[in-house]
Amino acid sequence: MKPRVVPSILSADFANLEAAVRLMEDAGADWIHIDVMDGHFVPNLTVGLPVVRRIRQVTDRHLDVHLMISNPDSMAVEYAKAGADSVLVHFEATTHLHEILSAIRRAGAWAGIALNPHTSVNVLEEILPFCDYILIMSVNPGFGGQEFISTSFEKVRKLVRLIQTRGLNRVRIEIDGGIGPHNSAEAVAAGVYLLVSGSAIFGSSDPAGTFRQMRASAESAAVIT
Ligand code: DX5
Ligand code: ZN
């Protein structure tokens, strides 16, 4: 299966998100990543349900919603109902993870767990069968444009081994933070399927070109491995 580059609109122009989505559609993006931050689980504050609903109205691409919010227990399913095609909740923010994932799936979306850099993949052992994908955070969540944490690909490889041991090869791996043209191939070689990228794409002088450069680099690594 071909890896996907997933533009994060966190680094796009918030006064014109539709244009950013359109730009990525035209570049060939199948997935768009939306970062929901509550100013509590992470210091930063971004967008919520109304913006997800509105973006849903202007694109048919897969909307990937990353919830960086405290107590997502009751709200996560609302994002699926608002039009998200996949919803990520943070392991560190939840109490009844199995219940949340089941509710997201019942609403028709992929259900995923995001792990902060300090959280071991071993915590996933019991919950993995109930997930569609896992997000490895390769920066501390909250802000775009941070430096990639160097041990993150080793963590991805550990997760690949856990997934294989459990015979759950359908569970996909996503990475988020400090991903750009320079490390896309390495990410895919480690086992990543979904490469989230914000500032590398939207901060470049040619966002569409950078997206395509990353996709080419990711796909070439997928052929080799
Ligand atoms: C950070 C967000 C990311 C962010 C990544 O907390 O979860 O999705 O957009 O930004 P870059 O690609 O700039 O590291
Ligand atoms: Zn994110």
Side-chain angles (χ1 to χ4, degrees):
M1 190 168 296
K2 277 186 183 175
R4 291 173 195 273
V5 175
V6 185
S8 164
I9 56 171
L10 180 65
S11 293
D13 177 3
F14 267 40
N16 202 346
L17 290 178
E18 183 176 3
V21 170
R22 212 60 78 211
L23 183 65
M24 288 300 109
E25 280 181 345
D26 293 345
D30 302 311
W31 283 44
I32 303 287
H33 185 84
I34 305 175
D35 289 301
V36 175
M37 304 185 189
D38 67 351
H40 187 266
F41 179 70
V42 290
N44 204 1
L45 187 64
T46 56
V47 299
L49 282 170
V51 173
V52 172
R53 272 193 209 106
R54 190 69 190 101
I55 294 177
R56 176 73 292 162
Q57 289 170 351
V58 301
T59 184
D60 61 0
R61 301 304 149 102
H62 182 117
L63 295 183
D64 184 33
V65 172
H66 178 188
L67 295 180
M68 284 160 274
I69 62 175
S70 300
N71 307 317
D73 297 59
S74 61
M75 287 308 290
V77 71
E78 296 304 320
Y79 283 87
K81 291 178 186 167
D85 297 293
S86 55
V87 180
L88 291 152
V89 292
H90 265 266
F91 176 85
E92 302 82 6
T94 54
T95 315
H96 302 291
L97 203 39
H98 175 268
E99 203 170 297
I100 303 177
L101 297 172
S102 305
I104 294 169
R105 281 175 149 185
R106 277 197 303 273
W110 278 28
I113 300 174
L115 295 184
N116 275 341
H118 69 270
T119 305
S120 166
V121 297
N122 294 332
V123 301
L124 299 171
E125 195 179 350
E126 298 303 328
I127 197 71
L128 206 51
F130 306 98
C131 298
D132 298 298
Y133 68 137
I134 302 294
L135 173 63
I136 300 293
M137 284 305 300
S138 39
V139 298
N140 288 293
F143 300 92
Q146 301 181 78
E147 193 183 335
F148 178 81
I149 296 173
S150 63
T151 50
S152 304
F153 291 144
E154 182 50 38
K155 190 170 176 181
V156 168
R157 285 189 282 270
K158 259 192 198 169
L159 178 55
V160 169
R161 289 195 289 274
L162 180 63
I163 288 171
Q164 287 172 345
T165 306
R166 300 295 306 265
L168 292 166
N169 291 346
R170 61 171 180 79
V171 177
R172 302 282 162 201
I173 301 176
E174 184 172 44
I175 198 157
D176 186 4
I179 300 294
H182 65 293
N183 56 8
S184 296
E186 201 185 340
V188 172
V192 171
Y193 168 65
L194 298 160
L195 297 89
V196 177
S197 180
S199 57
I201 291 178
F202 289 105
S204 85
S205 55
D206 175 14
T210 303
F211 169 87
R212 283 193 288 263
Q213 190 189 345
M214 286 182 66
R215 186 178 57 185
S217 166
E219 288 182 358
S220 69
V223 173
I224 296 163
T225 53

